[in-house]
Amino acid sequence: EAQVTQNPRYLITVTGKKLTVTCSQNMNHEYMSWYRQDPGLGLRQIYYSMNVEVTDKGDVPEGYKVSRKEKRNFPLILESPSPNQTSLYFCASSSGLAQFFGPGTRLTVL
Amino acid sequence: DQQVKQNSPSLSVQEGRISILNCDYTNSMFDYFLWYKKYPAEGPTFLISISSIKDKNEDGRFTVFLNKSAKHLSLHIVPSQPGDSAVYFCAATPNSGNTPLVFGKGTRLSVIA
């Protein structure tokens, strides 16, 4: 089944404790992206990647890092999480116009 | 500055009637527009798209209309069903492939039985 998977689905952590949210797609898509969804703000792009070893900042990249060492994986790294990064995070991939989204990761930073 | 605007945070419609969700954009470079549907605890799912060379695209109960001169698009759902209750996001992009999408804030549609 073609899909985008994210892990973990839920995470509660404390300020400053480094964490990684993994994203993997099995559709051989070149493009991958991370978004965060916050109440009243919709979906905002954090980082995106056009291909392996190519990443670019989106609209809200501060406090996040990404890497794209292989085509299928695009992890999101929070080196020192803060409470304002409490949010619902979505990974997406595409090979054309429409992006396919993962199920989301709900992150709470205390 | 918000480039894609969905000015109605919510909409309630009776089952069987038409649902009309609206979206406005400001960036004249946008040439492709998409609608996504999102249920709670799930990721957004692609619904329908339209390019700027068309003014209408239809897929079953879903039709998207584009008025490029007004920088306005709308999603029509006919007839509305309770399973259509979800948050709908409008998105736009300048190119047809592998480029960032700019999303609106979403409209929550409630279809009442």
Side-chain angles (χ1 to χ4, degrees):
Chain A
E1 180 191 353
Q3 59 183 350
V4 178
T5 57
Q6 296 178 225
N7 282 293
R9 294 290 312 277
Y10 302 91
L11 178 61
I12 301 174
T13 189
V14 294
T15 299
K17 186 177 181 182
K18 181 180 178 180
L19 66 92
T20 298
V21 184
T22 65
C23 173
S24 183
Q25 50 95 3
N26 63 1
M27 296 169 279
N28 202 36
H29 287 167
E30 292 182 345
Y31 184 94
M32 296 186 74
S33 182
W34 276 102
Y35 296 85
R36 60 179 287 174
Q37 184 188 5
D38 301 289
L41 297 177
L43 288 161
R44 295 181 294 166
Q45 190 172 54
I46 304 170
Y47 269 95
Y48 64 98
S49 169
M50 303 286 283
N51 213 328
V52 176
E53 301 292 359
V54 180
T55 62
D56 279 295
K57 295 178 180 179
D59 297 320
V60 287
E62 295 79 19
Y64 304 94
K65 285 175 56 177
V66 292
S67 70
R68 187 89 183 274
K69 292 184 170 48
E70 49 191 342
K71 202 171 191 178
R72 63 182 294 126
N73 295 324
F74 190 44
L76 179 70
I77 303 155
L78 285 71
E79 294 269 3
S80 182
S82 61
N84 64 13
Q85 292 178 298
T86 292
S87 187
L88 180 56
Y89 291 87
F90 291 101
C91 180
S93 73
S94 78
S95 63
L97 180 60
Q99 294 184 17
F100 297 90
F101 283 78
T105 295
R106 184 166 291 283
L107 172 66
T108 301
V109 183
L110 302 174
Chain B
D1 181 34
Q2 227 186 328
Q3 298 185 71
V4 177
K5 300 177 186 179
Q6 294 178 257
N7 292 320
S8 298
S10 63
L11 175 68
S12 287
V13 173
Q14 280 206 309
E15 181 179 5
R17 307 293 282 265
I18 184 172
S19 295
I20 301 176
L21 295 98
N22 294 305
C23 178
D24 297 293
Y25 62 96
T26 58
N27 190 337
S28 57
M29 298 298 289
F30 290 148
D31 273 336
Y32 297 87
F33 305 89
L34 304 87
W35 285 94
Y36 280 81
K37 178 168 74 173
K38 185 183 178 306
Y39 292 122
E42 294 183 12
T45 54
F46 170 69
L47 202 52
I48 192 169
S49 66
I50 190 168
S51 74
S52 60
I53 62 172
K54 293 186 173 182
D55 55 15
K56 176 183 174 181
N57 188 26
E58 192 172 353
D59 183 2
R61 296 186 297 114
F62 302 90
T63 303
V64 56
F65 294 92
L66 175 62
N67 182 334
K68 200 173 180 188
S69 61
K71 294 191 176 65
H72 176 83
L73 62 152
S74 59
L75 175 68
H76 293 211
I77 307 174
V78 184
S80 300
Q81 300 173 353
D84 296 328
S85 297
V87 177
Y88 290 79
F89 291 99
C90 171
T93 182
N95 301 311
S96 63
N98 291 347
T99 54
L101 297 176
V102 179
F103 283 86
K105 294 183 178 181
T107 296
R108 182 178 301 277
L109 173 66
S110 300
V111 180
I112 304 159

